[in-house]
Amino acid sequence: MEGITYLFLNAMTVASILMVVGLGLAIIYGLMELINFAHGEFVTIGAYTLVAADLLGGSFWMALLCAPIVGALFGILMERVLIRYLYDRPLAVILATWGVSLIIRQGIQLTFGAKGFGVSDPLVGTMSIVGVEYPVYRLFLIVTALSIMATCYLIIRYTRFGLDVRTVIQDREMAACMGINTRRINLMAFSAGSALAAIGGVLIAPLGNVLPHLGLGYLAKSFFVVIVGGVGNIAGVAAGSCLIGGLETFFNYHIPVSLSQALVLILAIVIVRYRPQGIIPK
Amino acid sequence: MQFKVSNLCAGYGHVQVLNQVALSMDKKEILVILGRNGMGKTTLMRTIMGSCNITAGRVCIDDQELTRLQSFEIARAGIAYVPQGRRIFPKLTVKENLIVGTRSRVDGKTEIPEEVWSYFPILHDRQGQLGGTLSGGQQQQLAIARALCGNPRILLLDEPSEGIQPNLVQLLGRILLQIVKETDLAVLLVEQNLDLILQTASRYLVMEKGTILHAGGPEELKDEKKIGAFLTI
């Protein structure tokens, strides 16, 4: 019984991070239909915001507040300088964002060096939950991710910006004919998606070593999450991240990591084969 | 208010569809564009809305030039568009569809105008329902209502009678006449339904191969056979 509880909580930890990073990608991919290959680098940017805060004597909480701002600023810069010229050329976007991801990764390596940084745990100790002792930080991570999801849902469902976003997702041309500035919505969505990835980066950092290629692994996984879960809605992201995170954690218990990742990928392919619109369709 | 299209040439990519189209409208007018399929009527509307490539000519409302503006700016300048096939937002509720319609208002208001509910009472009863679950006729009413929520000066209506029962077409015609009577709206109507044309039109233009060939006023509109011939040739 204890083993199952641990397994469940570990799966929730992985799923939580995937949720936040995947939601960022879902906004960019679902709304703008852009494949952003640099999305993982925004996770890295978030993690290094924490490293920088650590080096400068700041705290984890400060980094958690700053990271979305840093991520959003990089997102705005990328959209203004590059993406906005490429909206009509989706293939060019893939190449361009891949290029950006290389630049960011190398830039970080030049600035911070290739060696990893260990970030201290902001919340030390364990807490007793449903009969097991579990690290407080991981519980904080799960709660934070769920709150972020809930906040995003409320924004999309009940605010003016949210209504505009849902309108643009359904019919971009008609949304513009209604008087919605779709390019402004694009810019806001791109910066919001980047900010979410950066928050994900800060949350991941205390769990392991922070390296310049940290985000790379999250790029593929967040694409699985969005495609398996269903493009264009928050519930899809939640379902996708629980499935991918759950499977990965479960397999990791029993088989080597690389094999378990391959299995997750195969299962994702099988699911998409039989449910091309995802678990929860648009 | 005067709406003026002059010498307009436009199309998709390098394919030119419109060739030197000219027309003008005053307030309270319902100007009908007649013509067979593929003659450029829908392209004309999409060009006015900023969705096509303009290679020459101008679109103006009073002294304001709309020619190079983006779609959302054209909408905010007072031009509302009800496209062929209605294109309401199926996953938004009726009320949300109408709120989105208010985005083009320059006063920034997001309340749905009372008149809109009174023109289309059925929408009031269905406001919490998803747009996609409405019947074809109700969706058409929603599309027109959505356009009116922005308080436009010009309404572009592309084949509103398509796929709708005859009694509803007549109702649409009555509502259009009522709106034009009560407000200063001008309507540019692309239509193939002879009854709706005869019921509502104040003038007509005939479009062929991307250009305006004939024009006619109230006198010609009394000649049902002549108008019918423009639709079938």
Side-chain angles (χ1 to χ4, degrees), chain A residues 30-245:
Chain A
L31 179 67
M32 303 151 81
E33 287 167 6
L34 290 183
I35 296 188
N36 178 14
F37 266 7
H39 191 67
E41 270 53 50
F42 285 92
V43 177
T44 320
I45 287 174
Y48 273 90
T49 308
L50 177 54
V51 169
D54 232 24
L55 292 175
L56 297 171
S59 70
F60 170 84
W61 311 107
M62 215 173 81
L64 192 58
L65 281 179
C66 291
I69 300 168
V70 174
L73 287 178
F74 269 96
I76 289 170
L77 185 73
M78 186 166 155
E79 202 273 352
R80 285 289 91 182
V81 174
L82 194 66
I83 307 285
R84 69 162 158 159
Y85 301 106
L86 301 173
Y87 280 121
D88 302 329
R89 301 167 60 196
L91 281 177
V93 171
I94 296 180
L95 277 179
T97 54
W98 183 247
V100 170
S101 83
L102 293 176
I103 293 168
I104 293 178
R105 216 177 307 152
Q106 292 306 318
I108 287 174
Q109 189 158 334
L110 285 173
T111 318
F112 291 91
K115 70 170 173 35
F117 284 90
V119 185
S120 55
D121 225 336
L123 293 166
V124 201
T126 60
M127 204 175 119
S128 173
I129 180 170
V130 285
V132 299
E133 287 292 313
Y134 203 69
V136 182
Y137 178 71
R138 287 176 167 240
L139 293 172
F140 163 78
L141 196 158
I142 295 170
V143 172
T144 309
L146 291 177
S147 335
I148 289 172
M149 291 297 278
T151 311
C152 285
Y153 172 78
L154 293 175
I155 290 174
I156 295 286
R157 186 73 189 73
Y158 293 107
T159 66
R160 181 188 173 119
F161 172 66
L163 179 57
D164 287 356
V165 166
R166 283 184 286 146
T167 306
V168 173
I169 287 180
Q170 290 180 54
D171 190 334
R172 174 171 294 272
E173 188 189 343
M174 275 317 292
C177 290
M178 294 290 116
I180 294 175
N181 185 348
T182 52
R183 291 184 182 195
R184 207 176 118 252
I185 298 287
N186 277 350
L187 177 62
M188 288 168 82
F190 202 84
S191 60
S194 309
L196 282 168
I199 293 176
V202 179
L203 292 175
I204 296 160
L207 295 181
N209 236 349
V210 178
L211 290 158
H213 57 78
L214 169 79
L216 205 54
Y218 285 92
L219 176 68
K221 275 186 226 163
S222 39
F223 268 111
F224 295 171
V225 164
V226 173
I227 293 166
V228 170
V231 178
N233 68 74
I234 292 181
V237 175
S241 47
C242 287
L243 186 82
I244 301 286

Side-chain angles (χ1 to χ4, degrees), chain B residues 8-211:
Chain B
L8 193 65
C9 300
Y12 305 96
H14 293 294
V15 184
Q16 189 178 340
V17 179
L18 300 183
N19 186 14
Q20 311 250 346
V21 173
L23 61 88
S24 72
M25 277 200 298
D26 287 316
K27 62 185 180 187
K28 290 179 180 290
E29 251 191 325
I30 299 184
L31 175 59
V32 176
I33 301 197
L34 307 172
R36 288 173 293 151
N37 288 332
M39 290 301 157
K41 297 172 308 228
T42 296
T43 304
L44 171 61
M45 295 206 157
R46 295 193 62 209
T47 304
I48 294 172
M49 282 319 293
S51 299
C52 296
N53 264 352
I54 296 178
T55 46
R58 303 173 69 189
V59 180
C60 297
I61 186 163
D62 289 333
D63 291 332
Q64 189 185 0
E65 170 116 29
L66 307 180
T67 320
R68 305 282 161 203
L69 297 186
Q70 292 181 52
S71 298
F72 79 93
E73 295 168 309
I74 293 168
R76 288 178 190 182
I79 303 195
Y81 178 38
V82 178
Q84 200 171 12
R86 310 176 275 265
R87 284 170 76 177
I88 52 134
F89 303 107
K91 293 281 173 101
L92 299 187
T93 63
V94 168
K95 192 171 177 195
E96 285 173 332
N97 265 283
L98 295 176
I99 293 173
V100 168
T102 65
R103 290 291 189 263
S104 57
R105 296 179 75 102
V106 273
D107 56 15
K109 282 194 187 141
T110 56
E111 292 100 58
I112 297 153
E114 261 323 300
E115 316 86 78
V116 172
W117 292 126
S118 70
Y119 294 139
F120 305 101
I122 181 83
L123 299 179
H124 196 269
D125 304 338
R126 302 278 164 107
Q127 48 179 306
Q129 212 172 309
L130 289 184
T133 63
L134 298 181
S135 73
Q138 290 163 353
Q139 287 190 14
Q140 187 64 63
Q141 296 184 49
L142 177 57
I144 297 173
R146 180 179 69 177
L148 293 175
C149 281
N151 199 14
R153 294 188 278 176
I154 312 279
L155 180 64
L156 309 179
L157 256 181
D158 199 348
E159 302 227 11
S161 74
E162 194 188 34
I164 288 179
Q165 312 160 31
N167 60 334
L168 260 177
V169 174
Q170 227 183 25
L171 175 75
L172 275 184
R174 277 207 302 277
I175 293 172
L176 274 185
L177 288 171
Q178 191 194 347
I179 296 169
V180 168
K181 199 173 146 207
E182 291 174 3
T183 67
D184 282 342
L185 189 73
V187 181
L188 185 64
L189 175 65
V190 164
E191 190 47 75
Q192 311 243 26
N193 181 310
L194 188 59
D195 294 329
L196 187 59
I197 295 166
L198 296 176
Q199 187 189 358
T200 59
S202 18
R203 284 190 299 131
Y204 70 85
L205 299 171
V206 180
M207 203 166 173
E208 211 175 303
K209 290 184 184 158
T211 197

